[in-house]
Amino acid sequence: MQKVKKVVLAYSGGLDTSVILKWLITTYGCEVITMTADLGQPEDLSGVEEKALKTGASKAYVVDLKEEFARDFVFPMMRSDAVYEDRYLLGTSIARPLIAKTLVDIARKEGADAVAHGATGKGNDQVRFEFAVNALAPDLKVIAPWREWDLMSRTALNAFAEKHGIPISSAQKRYSMDSNMLHTSFEGSELEDPGCEPHESCHLRCTPIEQAPDSPEYVTLDFEHGDPVAVNGQKMSPAQIIETLNELGAKHGVGRLDMVENRFVGMKCRGVYETPGGTIIHAMHRDLEGICLDRELLAVRDMLVPRYSTAVYNGFWYSPEREAMQAFMDKAQETVTGTVRAKLYKGGVWPVARESPNTLFCHDLATFEECATYDHKDAAGFIRLNGLRLRTFAAMKRRAGK
């Protein structure tokens, strides 16, 4: 075992990371500093610092990252229309590079020689954390206790906690969950069987469709260069926009997703996600692009979306390819400025109107009425030239007797 003197641990205050904190001290004989990231998750973080110190941490950081998360991570991803496997809005994936960056920043500040995380050896998060640390601080050791210890069950974790005087909650958690301002995810319990419908308790943010209001609600979003800047005409910070849209979307059951996805480590996994505000932003941003982006630019951009989304999902946020794709995405967004109006109703986001000072929509060209700027006869030459290869191919088939 490599000797380490000081470790910065990504710490939530839950059973797993509390056990990890004490395990690092007893196993490595090192000083442990904790870092708890406030990413706008609904959990109360007020007692986290005190618990970390009581469990043996020499220092406990609780870092407010809400605005940085929204501005520098969520919004660039939203500008890129990123969706993994056509459905998942990457709520967990996008948080990991910021958490890792903050771990590295504190490690540098405190002179630590290692960082640690509580991700399991089966999941994607271990990859995301460690790729980020590889990119930002390759000299730091990364400790992943789930790949080292023999505490492989909830019973074993509870026994360790009891032995070392770590306070544990008596409440039984039905799901393994992750939350931040963008989403809440659920895994485990009946969700491990793709054939089972999620239990009714698998709702924390989004109102069940059956209980959503029977009347629609309209919302407008103003965008500048692909980023939302105002809700219903009111200017807000990035984090405030997400939080405001979360409330509106959750009320109408917007943003629920139940899917089986392909993990980077090679297995399929079923998860349920609630992403109300992100779902609204994605739908309305995509709608505005319809009038602001040139057809061929949009086509090339859409070709890159799966690659970009997979890079984020697989933990390559700090990779040269993601950064290069981001430069292209941001260039494409220079004209995506305007306002979209949408209807929220029974889980759906239905854009109904859009306008932009950079619109490429021309009424004179699109109208069914007489138009002086378009000559219908021009279409004959267009069709003849574009049909040339089809006529040539048909002639070849006739000659070959096919």
Side-chain angles (χ1 to χ4, degrees):
M1 183 179 294
Q2 180 182 336
K3 179 70 174 176
V4 294
K5 296 180 179 179
K6 189 181 295 186
V7 180
V8 181
L9 168 66
Y11 180 76
S12 69
L15 174 63
D16 292 18
T17 54
S18 294
V19 168
I20 288 172
L21 168 53
K22 182 62 73 173
W23 181 87
L24 288 169
I25 296 170
T26 59
T27 303
Y28 281 86
C30 61
E31 177 185 350
V32 179
I33 297 169
T34 62
M35 189 285 293
T36 303
D38 182 357
L39 298 170
Q41 59 268 43
E43 291 85 1
D44 181 7
L45 300 179
S46 59
V48 168
E49 181 180 356
E50 181 182 0
K51 183 176 182 180
L53 294 173
K54 283 185 176 180
T55 308
S58 61
K59 286 186 181 180
Y61 286 82
V62 180
V63 188
D64 185 347
L65 299 173
K66 293 190 288 293
E67 287 297 346
E68 183 179 1
F69 180 50
R71 181 188 65 243
D72 297 339
F73 291 82
V74 176
F75 275 19
M77 184 179 71
M78 289 289 181
R79 288 198 298 271
S80 308
D81 278 325
V83 184
Y84 181 66
E85 295 188 338
D86 295 326
R87 290 184 288 170
Y88 170 45
L89 289 171
L90 298 162
T92 295
S93 313
I94 193 58
R96 292 348 189 191
L98 176 55
I99 295 172
K101 172 181 174 293
T102 309
L103 284 175
V104 168
D105 289 345
I106 293 174
R108 295 303 194 210
K109 176 181 176 181
E110 295 289 346
D113 47 0
V115 295
H117 62 77
T120 73
K122 277 189 175 182
N124 292 313
D125 280 342
Q126 58 179 338
V127 179
R128 295 164 181 155
F129 282 129
E130 294 181 42
F131 281 177
V133 175
N134 288 171
L136 298 173
D139 57 301
L140 289 179
K141 176 180 173 60
V142 181
I143 301 174
W146 279 99
R147 301 203 300 261
E148 296 185 21
W149 64 18
D150 58 0
L151 305 174
M152 304 309 292
S153 69
R154 186 66 49 178
T155 300
L157 291 174
N158 282 327
F160 184 96
E162 185 175 354
K163 177 182 177 181
H164 292 278
I166 301 171
I168 56 177
S169 171
S170 59
Q172 292 295 315
K173 290 180 62 178
R174 186 182 185 96
Y175 303 105
S176 173
M177 297 165 56
D178 176 74
S179 290
N180 56 52
M181 72 169 63
L182 186 58
H183 90 153
T184 296
S185 66
F186 305 82
E187 292 180 340
S189 191
E190 80 281 353
L191 301 180
E192 293 184 351
D193 181 353
C196 286
E197 181 177 355
H199 188 264
E200 62 183 11
S201 63
C202 187
H203 279 83
L204 280 187
R205 296 192 179 193
C206 299
T207 302
I209 297 298
E210 299 83 356
Q211 300 171 25
D214 292 326
S215 298
E217 182 172 357
Y218 288 88
V219 60
T220 62
L221 267 187
D222 296 341
F223 290 86
E224 291 180 3
H225 310 302
D227 287 339
V229 295
V231 179
N232 292 331
Q234 183 176 350
K235 291 274 188 178
M236 299 180 185
S237 72
Q240 289 171 334
I241 285 175
I242 294 173
E243 289 164 355
T244 300
L245 294 177
N246 276 339
E247 292 182 13
L248 287 171
K251 173 183 174 184
H252 292 276
V254 170
R256 285 276 298 181
L257 173 64
D258 179 349
M259 72 177 288
V260 175
E261 69 200 57
N262 291 292
R263 282 183 176 171
F264 189 27
V265 294
M267 67 189 73
K268 289 186 181 289
C269 178
R270 195 266 192 97
V272 171
Y273 301 101
E274 295 185 320
T275 319
T279 300
I280 294 172
I281 294 172
H282 177 75
M284 297 177 77
H285 173 256
R286 182 76 193 191
D287 184 79
L288 183 60
E289 289 180 321
I291 62 171
C292 294
L293 290 188
D294 170 77
R295 180 186 71 182
E296 297 305 314
L297 175 58
L298 183 59
V300 174
R301 196 288 306 276
D302 285 350
M303 288 172 59
L304 284 176
V305 166
R307 291 295 302 271
Y308 180 101
S309 305
T310 300
V312 176
Y313 183 84
N314 290 348
F316 290 104
W317 181 261
Y318 296 111
S319 67
E321 68 272 18
R322 200 285 306 177
E323 292 177 352
M325 285 188 285
Q326 191 70 61
F328 175 87
M329 299 296 190
D330 293 348
K331 178 66 177 178
Q333 294 296 298
E334 287 180 349
T335 60
V336 184
T337 294
T339 301
V340 180
R341 185 169 184 255
K343 180 190 299 185
L344 309 180
Y345 181 65
K346 295 291 186 182
V349 182
W350 312 99
V352 296
R354 70 287 301 158
E355 59 184 9
S356 169
N358 303 323
T359 183
L360 295 172
F361 182 89
C362 178
H363 179 269
D364 287 346
L365 290 175
T367 182
F368 285 101
E369 302 301 324
E370 185 176 352
C371 173
T373 59
Y374 184 85
D375 188 342
H376 289 258
K377 296 176 182 178
D378 290 344
F382 175 83
I383 294 168
R384 183 161 184 80
L385 285 175
N386 280 278
L388 177 59
R389 67 183 182 87
L390 302 178
R391 296 193 300 275
T392 302
F393 186 71
M396 178 276 293
K397 288 201 299 182
R398 286 195 299 272
R399 289 194 305 270
K402 296 180 180 179

PDB file of all heavy atoms in Angstrom, residues 285-306:
ATOM      1  N   HIS A 285     -34.689  25.335 -25.877  1.00  0.00           N
ATOM      2  CA  HIS A 285     -33.465  25.689 -26.591  1.00  0.00           C
ATOM      3  C   HIS A 285     -33.453  25.054 -27.976  1.00  0.00           C
ATOM      4  O   HIS A 285     -33.140  25.699 -28.983  1.00  0.00           O
ATOM      5  CB  HIS A 285     -32.254  25.230 -25.786  1.00  0.00           C
ATOM      6  CG  HIS A 285     -30.952  25.382 -26.500  1.00  0.00           C
ATOM      7  ND1 HIS A 285     -30.269  24.322 -27.052  1.00  0.00           N
ATOM      8  CD2 HIS A 285     -30.208  26.490 -26.772  1.00  0.00           C
ATOM      9  CE1 HIS A 285     -29.158  24.759 -27.618  1.00  0.00           C
ATOM     10  NE2 HIS A 285     -29.095  26.064 -27.455  1.00  0.00           N
ATOM     11  N   ARG A 286     -33.816  23.786 -28.017  1.00  0.00           N
ATOM     12  CA  ARG A 286     -33.853  23.071 -29.296  1.00  0.00           C
ATOM     13  C   ARG A 286     -34.862  23.719 -30.245  1.00  0.00           C
ATOM     14  O   ARG A 286     -34.621  23.824 -31.455  1.00  0.00           O
ATOM     15  CB  ARG A 286     -34.220  21.608 -29.039  1.00  0.00           C
ATOM     16  CG  ARG A 286     -34.256  20.740 -30.283  1.00  0.00           C
ATOM     17  CD  ARG A 286     -32.870  20.399 -30.757  1.00  0.00           C
ATOM     18  NE  ARG A 286     -32.877  19.841 -32.103  1.00  0.00           N
ATOM     19  CZ  ARG A 286     -31.847  19.266 -32.683  1.00  0.00           C
ATOM     20  NH1 ARG A 286     -30.703  19.162 -32.040  1.00  0.00           N
ATOM     21  NH2 ARG A 286     -31.931  18.791 -33.901  1.00  0.00           N
ATOM     22  N   ASP A 287     -35.969  24.181 -29.703  1.00  0.00           N
ATOM     23  CA  ASP A 287     -36.977  24.824 -30.531  1.00  0.00           C
ATOM     24  C   ASP A 287     -36.456  26.136 -31.130  1.00  0.00           C
ATOM     25  O   ASP A 287     -36.656  26.405 -32.312  1.00  0.00           O
ATOM     26  CB  ASP A 287     -38.233  25.097 -29.701  1.00  0.00           C
ATOM     27  CG  ASP A 287     -39.350  25.685 -30.532  1.00  0.00           C
ATOM     28  OD1 ASP A 287     -40.031  24.917 -31.243  1.00  0.00           O
ATOM     29  OD2 ASP A 287     -39.530  26.921 -30.497  1.00  0.00           O
ATOM     30  N   LEU A 288     -35.762  26.941 -30.311  1.00  0.00           N
ATOM     31  CA  LEU A 288     -35.233  28.213 -30.800  1.00  0.00           C
ATOM     32  C   LEU A 288     -34.204  28.001 -31.903  1.00  0.00           C
ATOM     33  O   LEU A 288     -34.126  28.789 -32.857  1.00  0.00           O
ATOM     34  CB  LEU A 288     -34.621  29.006 -29.645  1.00  0.00           C
ATOM     35  CG  LEU A 288     -34.080  30.399 -29.979  1.00  0.00           C
ATOM     36  CD1 LEU A 288     -35.187  31.308 -30.524  1.00  0.00           C
ATOM     37  CD2 LEU A 288     -33.426  31.031 -28.756  1.00  0.00           C
ATOM     38  N   GLU A 289     -33.422  26.931 -31.793  1.00  0.00           N
ATOM     39  CA  GLU A 289     -32.436  26.644 -32.826  1.00  0.00           C
ATOM     40  C   GLU A 289     -33.090  26.453 -34.191  1.00  0.00           C
ATOM     41  O   GLU A 289     -32.458  26.694 -35.222  1.00  0.00           O
ATOM     42  CB  GLU A 289     -31.640  25.389 -32.463  1.00  0.00           C
ATOM     43  CG  GLU A 289     -30.676  25.592 -31.306  1.00  0.00           C
ATOM     44  CD  GLU A 289     -29.902  24.342 -30.985  1.00  0.00           C
ATOM     45  OE1 GLU A 289     -30.502  23.232 -31.033  1.00  0.00           O
ATOM     46  OE2 GLU A 289     -28.692  24.446 -30.689  1.00  0.00           O
ATOM     47  N   GLY A 290     -34.345  26.025 -34.190  1.00  0.00           N
ATOM     48  CA  GLY A 290     -35.048  25.802 -35.453  1.00  0.00           C
ATOM     49  C   GLY A 290     -35.140  27.031 -36.328  1.00  0.00           C
ATOM     50  O   GLY A 290     -35.175  26.910 -37.565  1.00  0.00           O
ATOM     51  N   ILE A 291     -35.173  28.210 -35.719  1.00  0.00           N
ATOM     52  CA  ILE A 291     -35.242  29.422 -36.541  1.00  0.00           C
ATOM     53  C   ILE A 291     -33.909  30.172 -36.601  1.00  0.00           C
ATOM     54  O   ILE A 291     -33.748  31.077 -37.426  1.00  0.00           O
ATOM     55  CB  ILE A 291     -36.354  30.388 -36.065  1.00  0.00           C
ATOM     56  CG1 ILE A 291     -36.106  30.881 -34.634  1.00  0.00           C
ATOM     57  CG2 ILE A 291     -37.719  29.749 -36.195  1.00  0.00           C
ATOM     58  CD1 ILE A 291     -37.054  31.992 -34.200  1.00  0.00           C
ATOM     59  N   CYS A 292     -32.951  29.787 -35.738  1.00  0.00           N
ATOM     60  CA  CYS A 292     -31.700  30.548 -35.657  1.00  0.00           C
ATOM     61  C   CYS A 292     -30.513  29.876 -36.344  1.00  0.00           C
ATOM     62  O   CYS A 292     -29.530  30.564 -36.662  1.00  0.00           O
ATOM     63  CB  CYS A 292     -31.324  30.792 -34.194  1.00  0.00           C
ATOM     64  SG  CYS A 292     -32.461  31.869 -33.308  1.00  0.00           S
ATOM     65  N   LEU A 293     -30.555  28.571 -36.536  1.00  0.00           N
ATOM     66  CA  LEU A 293     -29.403  27.867 -37.084  1.00  0.00           C
ATOM     67  C   LEU A 293     -29.615  27.490 -38.542  1.00  0.00           C
ATOM     68  O   LEU A 293     -30.673  26.967 -38.920  1.00  0.00           O
ATOM     69  CB  LEU A 293     -29.094  26.602 -36.273  1.00  0.00           C
ATOM     70  CG  LEU A 293     -28.532  26.802 -34.873  1.00  0.00           C
ATOM     71  CD1 LEU A 293     -28.099  25.467 -34.288  1.00  0.00           C
ATOM     72  CD2 LEU A 293     -27.366  27.773 -34.863  1.00  0.00           C
ATOM     73  N   ASP A 294     -28.601  27.726 -39.332  1.00  0.00           N
ATOM     74  CA  ASP A 294     -28.602  27.295 -40.727  1.00  0.00           C
ATOM     75  C   ASP A 294     -28.750  25.775 -40.805  1.00  0.00           C
ATOM     76  O   ASP A 294     -28.246  25.047 -39.941  1.00  0.00           O
ATOM     77  CB  ASP A 294     -27.277  27.724 -41.373  1.00  0.00           C
ATOM     78  CG  ASP A 294     -27.075  27.128 -42.739  1.00  0.00           C
ATOM     79  OD1 ASP A 294     -27.689  27.615 -43.698  1.00  0.00           O
ATOM     80  OD2 ASP A 294     -26.301  26.138 -42.836  1.00  0.00           O
ATOM     81  N   ARG A 295     -29.414  25.308 -41.829  1.00  0.00           N
ATOM     82  CA  ARG A 295     -29.704  23.878 -41.966  1.00  0.00           C
ATOM     83  C   ARG A 295     -28.457  23.008 -41.901  1.00  0.00           C
ATOM     84  O   ARG A 295     -28.408  22.014 -41.178  1.00  0.00           O
ATOM     85  CB  ARG A 295     -30.430  23.621 -43.293  1.00  0.00           C
ATOM     86  CG  ARG A 295     -30.790  22.154 -43.530  1.00  0.00           C
ATOM     87  CD  ARG A 295     -31.359  21.956 -44.920  1.00  0.00           C
ATOM     88  NE  ARG A 295     -30.328  22.101 -45.946  1.00  0.00           N
ATOM     89  CZ  ARG A 295     -30.567  22.023 -47.257  1.00  0.00           C
ATOM     90  NH1 ARG A 295     -31.810  21.848 -47.690  1.00  0.00           N
ATOM     91  NH2 ARG A 295     -29.582  22.151 -48.131  1.00  0.00           N
ATOM     92  N   GLU A 296     -27.425  23.362 -42.661  1.00  0.00           N
ATOM     93  CA  GLU A 296     -26.233  22.517 -42.714  1.00  0.00           C
ATOM     94  C   GLU A 296     -25.419  22.616 -41.420  1.00  0.00           C
ATOM     95  O   GLU A 296     -24.824  21.635 -40.971  1.00  0.00           O
ATOM     96  CB  GLU A 296     -25.365  22.891 -43.916  1.00  0.00           C
ATOM     97  CG  GLU A 296     -26.058  22.658 -45.257  1.00  0.00           C
ATOM     98  CD  GLU A 296     -26.546  21.223 -45.405  1.00  0.00           C
ATOM     99  OE1 GLU A 296     -25.771  20.287 -45.097  1.00  0.00           O
ATOM    100  OE2 GLU A 296     -27.714  21.031 -45.820  1.00  0.00           O
ATOM    101  N   LEU A 297     -25.391  23.796 -40.803  1.00  0.00           N
ATOM    102  CA  LEU A 297     -24.723  23.938 -39.513  1.00  0.00           C
ATOM    103  C   LEU A 297     -25.411  23.074 -38.467  1.00  0.00           C
ATOM    104  O   LEU A 297     -24.754  22.378 -37.679  1.00  0.00           O
ATOM    105  CB  LEU A 297     -24.730  25.403 -39.078  1.00  0.00           C
ATOM    106  CG  LEU A 297     -24.176  25.695 -37.675  1.00  0.00           C
ATOM    107  CD1 LEU A 297     -22.744  25.211 -37.543  1.00  0.00           C
ATOM    108  CD2 LEU A 297     -24.285  27.180 -37.364  1.00  0.00           C
ATOM    109  N   LEU A 298     -26.747  23.093 -38.464  1.00  0.00           N
ATOM    110  CA  LEU A 298     -27.501  22.280 -37.513  1.00  0.00           C
ATOM    111  C   LEU A 298     -27.245  20.793 -37.747  1.00  0.00           C
ATOM    112  O   LEU A 298     -27.099  20.015 -36.790  1.00  0.00           O
ATOM    113  CB  LEU A 298     -28.995  22.588 -37.638  1.00  0.00           C
ATOM    114  CG  LEU A 298     -29.940  21.875 -36.667  1.00  0.00           C
ATOM    115  CD1 LEU A 298     -29.573  22.195 -35.224  1.00  0.00           C
ATOM    116  CD2 LEU A 298     -31.389  22.259 -36.956  1.00  0.00           C
ATOM    117  N   ALA A 299     -27.147  20.394 -39.008  1.00  0.00           N
ATOM    118  CA  ALA A 299     -26.903  18.983 -39.326  1.00  0.00           C
ATOM    119  C   ALA A 299     -25.533  18.533 -38.823  1.00  0.00           C
ATOM    120  O   ALA A 299     -25.393  17.448 -38.247  1.00  0.00           O
ATOM    121  CB  ALA A 299     -27.019  18.753 -40.838  1.00  0.00           C
ATOM    122  N   VAL A 300     -24.511  19.362 -39.025  1.00  0.00           N
ATOM    123  CA  VAL A 300     -23.175  19.008 -38.552  1.00  0.00           C
ATOM    124  C   VAL A 300     -23.148  18.990 -37.028  1.00  0.00           C
ATOM    125  O   VAL A 300     -22.560  18.085 -36.405  1.00  0.00           O
ATOM    126  CB  VAL A 300     -22.126  19.992 -39.111  1.00  0.00           C
ATOM    127  CG1 VAL A 300     -20.755  19.714 -38.497  1.00  0.00           C
ATOM    128  CG2 VAL A 300     -22.047  19.882 -40.630  1.00  0.00           C
ATOM    129  N   ARG A 301     -23.777  19.978 -36.411  1.00  0.00           N
ATOM    130  CA  ARG A 301     -23.838  20.018 -34.950  1.00  0.00           C
ATOM    131  C   ARG A 301     -24.504  18.750 -34.408  1.00  0.00           C
ATOM    132  O   ARG A 301     -24.018  18.125 -33.459  1.00  0.00           O
ATOM    133  CB  ARG A 301     -24.590  21.265 -34.493  1.00  0.00           C
ATOM    134  CG  ARG A 301     -24.404  21.646 -33.015  1.00  0.00           C
ATOM    135  CD  ARG A 301     -25.095  20.741 -32.027  1.00  0.00           C
ATOM    136  NE  ARG A 301     -26.509  20.587 -32.302  1.00  0.00           N
ATOM    137  CZ  ARG A 301     -27.429  21.441 -31.884  1.00  0.00           C
ATOM    138  NH1 ARG A 301     -27.108  22.478 -31.158  1.00  0.00           N
ATOM    139  NH2 ARG A 301     -28.711  21.215 -32.169  1.00  0.00           N
ATOM    140  N   ASP A 302     -25.623  18.350 -35.030  1.00  0.00           N
ATOM    141  CA  ASP A 302     -26.335  17.174 -34.554  1.00  0.00           C
ATOM    142  C   ASP A 302     -25.529  15.899 -34.733  1.00  0.00           C
ATOM    143  O   ASP A 302     -25.706  14.932 -33.979  1.00  0.00           O
ATOM    144  CB  ASP A 302     -27.686  17.051 -35.263  1.00  0.00           C
ATOM    145  CG  ASP A 302     -28.716  18.044 -34.741  1.00  0.00           C
ATOM    146  OD1 ASP A 302     -28.436  18.693 -33.707  1.00  0.00           O
ATOM    147  OD2 ASP A 302     -29.791  18.173 -35.349  1.00  0.00           O
ATOM    148  N   MET A 303     -24.638  15.868 -35.709  1.00  0.00           N
ATOM    149  CA  MET A 303     -23.752  14.717 -35.859  1.00  0.00           C
ATOM    150  C   MET A 303     -22.798  14.599 -34.674  1.00  0.00           C
ATOM    151  O   MET A 303     -22.407  13.490 -34.273  1.00  0.00           O
ATOM    152  CB  MET A 303     -22.943  14.842 -37.155  1.00  0.00           C
ATOM    153  CG  MET A 303     -23.740  14.630 -38.429  1.00  0.00           C
ATOM    154  SD  MET A 303     -22.772  15.032 -39.901  1.00  0.00           S
ATOM    155  CE  MET A 303     -21.394  13.899 -39.742  1.00  0.00           C
ATOM    156  N   LEU A 304     -22.429  15.737 -34.089  1.00  0.00           N
ATOM    157  CA  LEU A 304     -21.491  15.734 -32.970  1.00  0.00           C
ATOM    158  C   LEU A 304     -22.160  15.476 -31.617  1.00  0.00           C
ATOM    159  O   LEU A 304     -21.479  15.102 -30.660  1.00  0.00           O
ATOM    160  CB  LEU A 304     -20.753  17.069 -32.900  1.00  0.00           C
ATOM    161  CG  LEU A 304     -19.639  17.302 -33.914  1.00  0.00           C
ATOM    162  CD1 LEU A 304     -19.080  18.709 -33.757  1.00  0.00           C
ATOM    163  CD2 LEU A 304     -18.531  16.268 -33.744  1.00  0.00           C
ATOM    164  N   VAL A 305     -23.469  15.685 -31.529  1.00  0.00           N
ATOM    165  CA  VAL A 305     -24.157  15.562 -30.240  1.00  0.00           C
ATOM    166  C   VAL A 305     -23.943  14.191 -29.591  1.00  0.00           C
ATOM    167  O   VAL A 305     -23.626  14.112 -28.399  1.00  0.00           O
ATOM    168  CB  VAL A 305     -25.657  15.899 -30.377  1.00  0.00           C
ATOM    169  CG1 VAL A 305     -26.433  15.454 -29.135  1.00  0.00           C
ATOM    170  CG2 VAL A 305     -25.847  17.396 -30.596  1.00  0.00           C
ATOM    171  N   PRO A 306     -24.099  13.074 -30.314  1.00  0.00           N
ATOM    172  CA  PRO A 306     -23.861  11.777 -29.658  1.00  0.00           C
ATOM    173  C   PRO A 306     -22.436  11.623 -29.145  1.00  0.00           C
ATOM    174  O   PRO A 306     -22.217  11.067 -28.055  1.00  0.00           O
ATOM    175  CB  PRO A 306     -24.181  10.758 -30.761  1.00  0.00           C
ATOM    176  CG  PRO A 306     -25.085  11.482 -31.701  1.00  0.00           C
ATOM    177  CD  PRO A 306     -24.613  12.896 -31.692  1.00  0.00           C
TER     178      PRO A 306
END
